[in-house]
Amino acid sequence: MRGGLFGASLGSNWQKGPWVYGQEGDLSWSDLRGSSNVCGPLMVTPHPCGTNLDALGTFRGRIGYAAGAGGNWLLYATGGLAVGNIHGWDALTPSGD
């Protein structure tokens, strides 16, 4: 694999009493590429193949509770979504996706 990655993230948190809510997301543009000349080495016809990653991003939500004597501890749960734009190709078949 070779290439570079450039991205940005944005997020916010707010608190209501001991409860903390937040969200954040990021988006990265990339030029990551990789290939091999011996895909399918166990096949009758070994052939070139590869992948290109053009972009990826995530979005996460968060909910937490400020605990402890001074609220110095944040117990939280987070979950979200990750997406990417990846293209794979294979020289044995004239297609890619």
Side-chain angles (χ1 to χ4, degrees), residues 44-60:
V44 177
T45 315
H47 55 281
C49 65
T51 58
N52 306 334
L53 176 64
D54 298 322
L56 61 102
T58 65
F59 178 78
R60 294 171 296 287

Side-chain angles (χ1 to χ4, degrees), residues 8 18 31 37 53 57:
D31 185 27
N37 290 325
L53 176 64

Side-chain angles (χ1 to χ4, degrees), residues 47-52 87-97:
H47 55 281
C49 65
T51 58
N52 306 334
H87 173 78
W89 58 272
D90 190 317
L92 187 61
T93 60
S95 64
D97 198 3

